[in-house]
Amino acid sequence: MRKSELIENLIDRFQGIPVKSVEQSVKAIIEHMADALAAGDRIEIRGFGSFCLHYRAPRTGRNPKTGDSVELAEKYVPHFKPGKELRDQVNDSL
Amino acid sequence: MGSLTKADMAERLSSEQQLSKRDAKDMVEAFFEEVSTSLINNEQVKLSGFGNFDLRDKRPRPGRNPKTGEEVAISARRVVTFRPGQKLKDRVETEN
């Protein structure tokens, strides 16, 4: 499912809300989540899961093309941990 | 360090998108229901600007109870993984 399909599904579910508002709402929800992670905040959605940042220590990497070593700075990467309900339901679908 | 919840998202939706508090709350709820339903139907979810939720089927493997050291079988399972998109990774890297 892509963002456009998610929007279409929600348009079907919210017949009383203008299409434009549904579209903007989906974009706003995604933006709000990205803003939170960019600000170093967690996201907690009960049943669905939580997002947090994981720390990556600085390291010496290599340019795979030239073999030159490059210093990579420390950084944070987004991480998602599925909630119990989602985990169980996805696993039950197997 | 704070934590963003569905209530926070609904709050922002109702103030920015001119939705009633009720509609905003229902919209946020429905958003996560749709994503979950897709994943439960074994269908990947791609949210451009954010990231992809993928499904991985894991084979059964032998494991151990870390407390007792006892061997236990870990059954085959399906799990959700999240791959952040480049845009999100860049923002998280530069703003933290």
Side-chain angles (χ1 to χ4, degrees):
Chain A
M1 180 173 72
R2 306 183 66 87
K3 198 196 297 180
S4 54
E5 296 166 286
L6 170 58
I7 291 171
E8 278 167 33
N9 292 350
L10 292 176
I11 288 169
D12 285 346
R13 284 176 67 163
F14 292 90
Q15 306 262 338
I17 298 178
V19 166
K20 194 88 203 151
S21 298
V22 178
E23 257 170 34
Q24 282 170 352
S25 294
V26 168
K27 286 172 188 164
I29 291 169
I30 293 171
E31 224 172 74
H32 203 168
M33 293 201 289
D35 287 349
L37 293 172
D41 288 340
R42 290 169 53 85
I43 305 171
E44 282 184 27
I45 311 296
R46 184 152 325 145
F48 181 76
S50 58
F51 297 85
C52 62
L53 300 183
H54 279 183
Y55 175 73
R56 295 282 180 262
R59 64 189 177 91
T60 307
R62 277 189 188 280
N63 180 328
K65 270 200 188 124
T66 64
D68 292 347
S69 60
V70 273
E71 293 309 317
L72 298 171
E74 61 172 3
K75 64 174 181 178
Y76 286 90
V77 293
H79 176 78
F80 174 64
K81 183 169 189 264
K84 182 166 168 44
E85 201 181 317
L86 179 62
R87 219 166 46 224
D88 289 348
Q89 285 182 298
V90 164
N91 192 39
D92 287 347
S93 72
L94 185 67
Chain B
M1 190 173 112
S3 188
L4 178 68
T5 63
K6 284 192 283 195
D8 299 322
M9 294 184 215
E11 188 73 36
R12 185 152 135 183
L13 270 197
S14 70
S15 62
E16 286 178 5
Q17 309 298 327
Q18 287 139 19
L19 290 183
S20 68
K21 282 205 165 25
R22 182 60 201 251
D23 283 345
K25 188 170 173 283
D26 290 349
M27 187 65 71
V28 172
E29 204 66 51
F31 177 96
F32 290 103
E33 274 171 22
E34 290 292 333
V35 174
S36 298
T37 300
S38 179
L39 294 171
I40 290 163
N41 291 331
N42 199 20
E43 198 194 336
Q44 176 198 40
V45 177
K46 296 166 88 158
L47 301 177
S48 61
F50 191 69
N52 298 350
F53 295 90
D54 296 325
L55 294 146
R56 295 177 71 97
D57 286 349
K58 305 279 203 181
R59 296 155 57 122
R61 60 187 171 89
R64 258 175 214 288
N65 179 330
K67 270 199 189 124
T68 63
E70 217 179 328
E71 271 204 42
V72 281
I74 297 175
S75 55
R77 59 194 60 220
R78 179 171 290 158
V79 297
V80 178
T81 59
F82 174 66
R83 282 179 60 90
Q86 195 58 48
K87 194 170 145 199
L88 179 63
K89 282 200 281 193
D90 288 346
R91 281 195 67 189
V92 165
E93 230 171 281
T94 55
E95 295 175 39
N96 277 283

